[in-house]
């Protein structure tokens, strides 16, 4: 062992700082009115989503048309209603 004195640990003092506040939204004015850029971005996003959904539906071979799905649902509903009516008549 050496005869050197042990070095004292270095103490670093600091303070706890709260998180900075989030940036103010730029989508609305101070009066609460949406900005032109915000509205334009929303419209463009919806148009792109609609176009993409249409393309995807057209290119998916397993997809059935909406009309076919609705017709099948209506047919099943009428069938079930008739079944309920027969059971109520005691048939």
């Amino acid at each position: 062992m050496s005869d050197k004195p042990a070095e004292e640990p270095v103490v670093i003092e600091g303070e706890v700082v709260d998180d900075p506040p989030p940036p103010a939204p730029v989508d609305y004015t101070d009066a609460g009115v949406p900005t032109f850029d915000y509205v334009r971005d929303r419209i463009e996003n919806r148009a792109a989503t609609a176009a993409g959904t249409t393309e995807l539906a057209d290119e998916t071979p397993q997809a059935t048309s909406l009309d076919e799905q609705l017709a099948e649902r209506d047919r099943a509903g009428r069938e079930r209603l008739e079944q309920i009516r027969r059971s109520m008549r005691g048939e």
Side-chain angles (χ1 to χ4, degrees):
M1 288 223 206
S2 69
D3 293 333
K4 286 185 182 178
E7 292 183 27
E8 291 189 30
V10 178
V11 177
I12 301 174
E13 291 191 31
E15 61 185 64
V16 176
V17 180
D18 293 331
D19 290 335
V26 293
D27 297 336
Y28 290 87
T29 64
D30 292 338
V33 178
T35 63
F36 177 76
D37 290 335
Y38 175 74
V39 173
R40 184 187 63 224
D41 289 344
R42 293 282 305 251
I43 292 170
E44 288 175 353
N45 187 18
R46 287 184 184 186
T49 300
T53 301
T54 302
E55 287 178 22
L56 183 61
D58 289 344
E59 294 178 9
T60 306
Q62 296 85 8
T64 58
S65 73
L66 181 59
D67 291 335
E68 291 171 349
Q69 291 175 9
L70 290 174
E72 175 61 25
R73 186 180 70 183
D74 289 344
R75 185 195 60 74
R78 283 191 304 274
E79 234 176 67
R80 179 69 178 135
L81 181 59
E82 185 57 36
Q83 181 184 14
I84 292 170
R85 286 179 178 159
R86 281 194 308 265
S87 70
M88 291 181 73
R89 289 189 298 242
E91 295 178 8

